[in-house]
Amino acid sequence: QIVLTQSPAIMSASPGEKVTITCSASSSVSYMHWFQQKPGTSPKLWIYSTSNLASGVPARFSGSGSGTSYSLTISRMEAEDAATYYCQQRSSYPWTFGGGTKLEIK
Amino acid sequence: QVTLKESGPGILQPSQTLSLTCSFSGFSLSTSGMGVGWIRQPSGKGLEWLAHIWWDDDKRYNPALKSRLTISKDTSSNQVFLKIASVDTADTATYYCARIMITTGMDYWGQGTSVTVSS
């Protein structure tokens, strides 16, 4: 199976700071998908097919990458962006998720 | 609008079979390109995809649990079912169902149902 490794596992950012979360795949995947999860709530689709923002996602978010290396970027951190972010691949079965990156606000 | 809601037993004993139901509205599983999947999350841990079923009844399972999983659907009643046989404490988790579209993936999720396996 394809293993997804996210880094960092935990990070904090100040309001207005640029944030980048990376996801490394053990084998090449066609696309990467990202989910946001806040405590006590279900995950939300955030970015699909590497770079497409899901409905309602602020434009300060972006996604990029190819092959085995993908990233989610927040151009300017806001308090509401504090959450855990998971990458996910569905290029091959079994579909797998990364271990998550917990993003906190300073 | 699209909504999904999971239901389950809450608590069950080791070796029993876990039966979960996903009841949904706002879309039809008879529509081409549509699917419903199950994902679980132990408390404080990450997400694990379990299985999904497509509009054409194609079924996919996580091989780590495949021998224990059975997914099915009732299109007329807008429900998807997941059974996990021979549960043990490692199956304790919140179980989510999600709508899956070929284009966008898991775009709508239910609120989750908590399952505890304990003797």
Side-chain angles (χ1 to χ4, degrees), chain A:
Chain A
Q1 70 174 38
I2 296 178
V3 176
L4 301 180
T5 303
Q6 290 185 234
S7 62
I10 304 174
M11 68 178 298
S12 61
S14 301
E17 184 177 349
K18 182 178 181 180
V19 172
T20 298
I21 297 170
T22 65
C23 180
S24 176
S26 59
S27 299
S28 182
V29 298
S30 301
Y31 299 101
M32 193 62 71
H33 315 281
W34 296 87
F35 295 86
Q36 181 198 67
Q37 186 178 33
K38 294 187 176 181
T41 69
S42 52
K44 294 180 181 177
L45 178 65
W46 214 244
I47 296 173
Y48 65 94
S49 300
T50 302
S51 59
N52 297 283
L53 301 185
S55 178
V57 174
R60 61 182 178 273
F61 284 85
S62 63
S64 63
S66 64
T68 62
S69 182
Y70 292 83
S71 63
L72 176 155
T73 299
I74 308 172
S75 60
R76 295 177 59 85
M77 176 75 181
E78 294 193 10
E80 67 177 13
D81 301 335
T84 299
Y85 293 86
Y86 295 94
C87 57
Q88 185 231 354
Q89 67 82 23
R90 50 190 183 101
S91 293
S92 70
Y93 289 104
W95 291 359
T96 50
F97 291 88
T101 294
K102 186 176 183 180
L103 173 61
E104 300 172 334
I105 188 80
K106 281 185 185 175

Side-chain angles (χ1 to χ4, degrees), chain B residues 19-87:
Chain B
S19 294
L20 298 167
T21 299
C22 175
S23 302
F24 58 87
S25 63
F27 67 99
S28 173
L29 251 185
S30 62
T31 301
S32 178
M34 206 71 71
V36 171
W38 288 93
I39 305 94
R40 71 180 180 182
Q41 184 174 39
S43 181
K45 297 190 177 181
L47 301 165
E48 180 181 31
W49 168 77
L50 299 176
H52 62 246
I53 188 166
W54 293 108
W55 79 100
D56 59 359
D57 210 39
D58 181 27
K59 301 165 187 174
R60 303 286 175 159
Y61 296 101
N62 189 326
L65 299 91
K66 182 177 180 179
S67 63
R68 300 168 52 213
L69 299 178
T70 305
I71 193 169
S72 60
K73 63 181 173 71
D74 183 339
T75 303
S76 60
S77 67
N78 285 345
Q79 292 182 314
V80 170
F81 312 98
L82 182 71
K83 293 186 185 298
I84 305 178
S86 304
V87 297

